[in-house]
Amino acid sequence: MKIEVQLPDGSVRTYEEGTTALEVAQSISEGLARNVLAAKVNGEVRDAMRPLPGNCSLQLLTWNDEDGKSTMWHSSAHLMAEAIEALYPGVKFGIGPPVENGFYYDIDLGPDRTIGDNEFEAIEKKMLELAKRKSPFVRTEMPKAEAISYFEKKGDEYKLELLEDLEDGSITFYQQGDFTDLCRGPHIPDTGFIKAAKVTSVAGAYWRGDESRKQLTRLYGITFPKQKELTEYLALVEEAKKRDHRKLGKELDLFTFSEKVGQGLPLWLPRGTALRERLADFMKKAQEKGGYVQVATPHIGLKDLYVTSGHYEKYGKDSFQPISAPGDDAEEYLLKPMNCPHHCEIFKSRPHSYKDLPIRYAEFGTVYRYEQSGELHGLTRVRGFTQDDAHLFCRPDQVKEEFIKVIDLVLTVLKALGLTDYEAQVSLRDKTDRSKYIGSEENWTRAENDILEATAEKGLKSRIEYGEAAFYGPKLDFMVRDALGRKWQLGTIQVDYNLPERFELEYVGSDNARHRPVMIHRAPFGSLERFVAVIIEHSAGRFPLWLAPEQAVVLPISDKFIDKAREVAGSLKDSDIRASVDERNEKIGRKIRDAELSKLPFMLIIGEKEAEQNSVSVREHGQGDLGTMSINAFTEMVQRKVRDQLGGL
């Protein structure tokens, strides 16, 4: 029998039944075939060596594709496990998935054994030795009883526990060389694609994320098809260390943490608070132009509120636990994990007509979610954070138009902060498993179509990820690459037909009947904490001029000119330019160096000539001397630059 295979360019080729994706690649080009790592068949990533399932769409994946990289890193985790098993006999393995940059494997080394930095090189050497054998990754389907028997003989209780959750008939093993693992795949054709390997770090990780379970050794690594790419990656890692927001946040006096306050609860210092406020003001101004109204909600809510919304059922056991009211009062409260249920109650507080819609509620609301201590990381993973949250309530016929307006708002934010390299990720339901979602099939289909059409109309570079939707609705996430090429999820928009149903929200339509509104959730920043962390690392602490905590510092060359420097700083402040005076008894060269280290955008030097001419000598951070200009000319230059960056907001 023949099968038809549709390629990404729309062309259709005919092959014999049983043809593999790799054989399709060979029919196109031997050069292409040599680089194929995996294949996306009908949207599902599969081994390139597996026979195609019949008529299908096919994308051949190489190192240049995210799914290709992910597949190679998954296979590299297996290769690292094989190396570790050879070097440390008797070890047991938990899980070993790919991550954004590389992979990890959770390992039980046994009593009194550890892996330290000094052992990384030996593991890397063993990995490359095994990779050179070009061992194929062989997939085997296995009955559950046989799989259990295999790991019972091996004495690996972790794999046996994973098997408990798997149905008979869905269990697959992969073998390469001397290593066999329980795994659903996919994998690269053979280990020979791995030419460079680096073990990057070691950490502790509780089995299945449960702090009551045994702590395993989590070993991180990364691999590449060329040594040159590993060398370049390591250079970027060193640059990332210099840009680490935790380091720069301390140097720039932006935020701190306190053990007495609690892990994952940042304290914002005056300069950091001023930066947060400017971001908030920027967003509020944009929202005001877009027809939003500000609301404010409390930091706690009754547990029943989140039971109604479905958040408690979905996330309750992993959140901060309920707070019991004192005395005989049986009420239970939760620290607010989400703003949306509160906004639903605001909408419900008064009747609405179809003419009132859309209604757009916005709030910089602080929420609280319990992250395990091992997962906390500076501002990017915290337990208390502030969202630039908004919820739009509209008629079904308004959804796409409102969605497009939110896209425009997100793009305005990204442009103002110099984040121009991004891709839109459309997150839809899992194709087969609908159990983790609430709501009707009809509403989900309508919501998904609205997002897909809006994304297409805006011409966004986008990709579809199945199974990544929120439990109550599909969403559009903006995946942004920073100056080092790292990917961050910033800005999210979600369409929700379900919370209005759960909260029994209504408006009166033109037919005088009662109808359910549709809800759009959106947060262009996401969380202010994480957004600030990304901006710090993207800009290396050199913020856009409009956002900088301090835009100019006036540097008198001696005490004689301090009064004039104060006068200049006062004039700048009157023009809404943030300026200060360095009044220290230091030489001008030291003051300039310190201002450069503090990444202040402009330095204004005042000496005899400048004082007489009512001018300043201007230096720009990273650019050097801009010459002498009048105070008015400098003011106009700064204001013009700020206007250009903000795009008229």
Side-chain angles (χ1 to χ4, degrees):
M1 290 183 63
K2 301 287 186 179
I3 61 171
E4 292 187 342
V5 178
Q6 184 176 25
L7 300 176
D9 64 359
S11 64
V12 177
R13 293 182 175 227
T14 302
Y15 296 93
E16 295 291 333
E17 188 179 29
T19 298
T20 67
L22 189 59
E23 288 170 337
V24 172
Q26 289 167 339
S27 74
I28 297 171
S29 158
E30 283 296 333
L32 171 62
R34 284 194 295 271
N35 290 297
V36 168
L37 298 174
K40 186 174 280 189
V41 181
N42 294 331
E44 176 192 1
V45 182
R46 292 161 51 107
D47 303 327
M49 303 293 287
R50 286 182 68 184
L52 297 173
N55 296 340
C56 62
S57 64
L58 172 66
Q59 179 187 353
L60 299 165
L61 302 173
T62 69
W63 179 252
N64 295 324
D65 301 295
E66 291 295 324
D67 288 322
K69 279 190 178 75
S70 180
T71 302
M72 180 156 139
W73 285 335
H74 185 189
S75 300
S76 299
H78 283 231
L79 180 66
M80 184 172 72
E82 183 182 5
I84 289 168
E85 196 167 59
L87 295 171
Y88 306 88
V91 297
K92 301 172 185 177
F93 295 99
I95 59 171
V99 291
E100 185 176 348
N101 282 303
F103 53 90
Y104 69 79
Y105 222 121
D106 288 342
I107 310 154
D108 184 348
L109 293 165
D112 304 321
R113 285 206 296 189
T114 60
I115 292 177
D117 296 4
N118 59 330
E119 296 166 270
F120 288 1
E121 188 175 345
I123 297 171
E124 294 160 6
K125 184 178 178 182
K126 190 66 176 178
M127 287 176 68
L128 293 178
E129 175 193 318
L130 296 170
K132 287 177 182 176
R133 298 178 183 176
K134 299 184 178 180
S135 302
F137 284 86
V138 179
R139 182 178 187 271
T140 305
E141 296 181 2
M142 189 173 292
K144 188 168 184 175
E146 191 175 330
I148 290 172
S149 175
Y150 175 84
F151 284 114
E152 283 178 341
K153 289 176 183 175
K154 195 173 182 182
D156 194 328
E157 64 267 28
Y158 304 104
K159 299 297 182 181
L160 287 169
E161 185 174 330
L162 293 173
L163 278 167
E164 291 175 5
D165 300 329
L166 301 179
E167 293 182 9
D168 202 355
S170 67
I171 296 167
T172 55
F173 277 38
Y174 277 83
Q175 179 181 357
Q176 94 279 354
D178 295 326
F179 183 71
T180 301
D181 202 1
L182 172 69
C183 182
R184 65 183 178 187
H187 286 284
I188 58 178
D190 64 66
T191 60
F193 287 87
I194 301 167
K195 298 290 199 303
K198 184 72 176 176
V199 179
T200 53
S201 64
V202 63
Y206 293 105
W207 172 233
R208 308 198 94 171
D210 186 343
E211 292 184 15
S212 67
R213 308 292 296 276
K214 183 171 183 177
Q215 189 175 61
L216 305 180
T217 297
R218 177 168 291 181
L219 200 62
Y220 287 90
I222 194 166
T223 57
F224 293 89
K226 295 178 182 177
Q227 178 62 41
K228 178 186 174 186
E229 291 176 318
L230 173 58
T231 302
E232 291 171 348
Y233 170 77
L234 294 176
L236 284 177
V237 168
E238 288 305 309
E239 178 62 24
K241 289 178 182 177
K242 298 175 187 175
R243 293 170 177 249
D244 190 315
H245 75 277
R246 295 167 298 176
K247 171 178 174 288
L248 290 177
K250 184 176 181 179
E251 292 174 2
L252 298 175
D253 238 11
L254 299 177
F255 60 88
T256 188
F257 289 89
S258 163
E259 289 184 6
K260 287 187 180 298
V261 173
Q263 292 187 79
L265 300 171
L267 300 171
W268 290 89
L269 304 176
R271 286 167 62 88
T273 301
L275 186 146
R276 274 175 55 109
E277 291 302 313
R278 271 187 292 283
L279 281 170
D281 289 345
F282 165 76
M283 182 58 69
K284 287 175 182 177
K285 190 178 292 186
Q287 289 174 164
E288 187 177 349
K289 288 181 68 173
Y292 290 77
V293 290
Q294 295 291 320
V295 296
T297 60
H299 290 251
I300 64 173
L302 279 172
K303 174 183 169 182
D304 286 349
L305 177 69
Y306 310 109
V307 170
T308 298
S309 69
H311 290 107
Y312 187 77
E313 179 185 356
K314 200 74 179 175
Y315 305 116
K317 65 180 180 180
D318 299 320
S319 299
F320 286 102
Q321 292 307 293
I323 306 164
S324 297
D328 297 329
D329 196 328
E331 289 182 335
E332 286 188 310
Y333 292 84
L334 289 180
L335 289 172
K336 179 172 63 172
M338 305 278 182
N339 295 304
C340 41
H342 296 251
H343 291 188
C344 286
E345 288 298 305
I346 291 176
F347 181 89
K348 195 175 181 179
S349 66
R350 57 183 290 268
H352 299 284
S353 159
Y354 72 98
K355 295 179 180 179
D356 300 329
L357 305 184
I359 291 174
R360 310 177 185 94
Y361 295 139
E363 175 183 17
F364 279 86
T366 301
V367 298
Y368 304 89
R369 300 176 193 172
Y370 184 77
E371 297 281 357
Q372 294 185 31
S373 57
E375 300 293 327
L376 298 174
H377 182 82
L379 295 180
T380 59
R381 292 292 291 271
V382 291
R383 289 173 173 168
F385 54 93
T386 302
Q387 293 179 305
D388 62 321
D389 227 346
H391 296 95
L392 293 71
F393 299 88
C394 56
R395 304 189 307 266
D397 63 292
Q398 295 172 319
V399 170
K400 188 167 72 173
E401 180 184 357
E402 288 300 305
F403 201 92
I404 288 173
K405 287 178 181 178
V406 177
I407 290 175
D408 290 336
L409 177 60
V410 174
L411 297 182
T412 297
V413 169
L414 297 180
K415 180 181 177 183
L417 289 154
L419 296 165
T420 56
D421 185 1
Y422 56 82
E423 178 183 55
Q425 176 178 303
V426 181
S427 298
L428 306 180
R429 289 171 297 172
D430 188 284
K431 285 187 172 182
T432 55
D433 181 11
R434 306 295 210 214
S435 62
K436 54 186 176 181
Y437 309 106
I438 61 174
S440 70
E441 182 73 22
E442 178 187 358
N443 285 343
W444 269 93
T445 300
R446 189 184 307 168
E448 289 177 338
N449 287 340
D450 283 336
I451 291 180
L452 291 169
E453 289 176 14
T455 304
E457 285 189 25
K458 291 300 298 180
L460 292 177
K461 176 186 175 185
S462 63
R463 59 182 291 175
I464 295 175
E465 289 292 342
Y466 292 96
E468 294 298 317
F471 74 95
Y472 50 77
K475 59 180 180 171
L476 179 69
D477 293 322
F478 284 81
M479 314 304 290
V480 179
R481 290 197 180 275
D482 67 12
L484 299 183
R486 298 170 301 179
K487 189 160 65 175
W488 303 85
Q489 187 264 306
L490 297 177
T492 185
I493 320 171
Q494 303 168 356
V495 176
D496 181 3
Y497 283 80
N498 294 304
L499 283 190
E501 189 74 34
R502 284 178 167 249
F503 281 91
E504 299 180 340
L505 305 184
E506 295 178 337
Y507 67 91
V508 176
S510 57
D511 56 358
N512 285 324
R514 296 186 180 278
H515 300 272
R516 293 268 187 256
V518 183
M519 194 171 174
I520 297 176
H521 307 241
R522 52 111 283 211
F525 291 152
S527 88
L528 273 175
E529 284 71 14
R530 188 167 179 273
F531 195 82
V532 168
V534 173
I535 294 303
I536 291 172
E537 298 197 7
H538 174 65
S539 67
R542 187 183 174 189
F543 300 109
L545 182 59
W546 70 269
L547 185 60
E550 197 172 332
Q551 294 169 314
V553 59
V554 187
L555 309 177
I557 64 173
S558 71
D559 289 351
K560 179 181 175 182
F561 304 106
I562 286 179
D563 286 342
K564 183 63 178 177
R566 291 171 179 167
E567 179 188 323
V568 170
S571 173
L572 295 175
K573 289 176 182 176
D574 289 341
S575 300
D576 292 327
I577 295 173
R578 299 179 291 280
S580 66
V581 179
D582 186 343
E583 299 186 12
R584 295 176 301 160
N585 186 24
E586 299 283 358
K587 291 183 178 179
I588 191 66
R590 172 65 183 273
K591 292 182 178 181
I592 291 172
R593 282 195 302 274
D594 288 349
E596 283 282 353
L597 288 172
S598 296
K599 305 183 188 296
L600 295 172
F602 290 102
M603 291 151 270
L604 309 181
I605 302 166
I606 295 181
E608 189 78 44
K609 183 180 71 172
E610 290 82 8
E612 289 176 357
Q613 298 176 355
N614 197 32
S615 63
V616 287
S617 180
V618 182
R619 292 181 63 87
E620 186 173 2
H621 176 72
Q623 301 297 318
D625 188 7
L626 299 186
T628 301
M629 62 182 73
S630 69
I631 306 301
N632 285 340
F634 175 75
T635 299
E636 290 173 2
M637 179 184 73
V638 171
Q639 291 174 338
R640 183 176 64 254
K641 284 177 175 285
V642 168
R643 283 196 303 271
D644 290 344
Q645 289 178 355
L646 291 177
L649 278 180

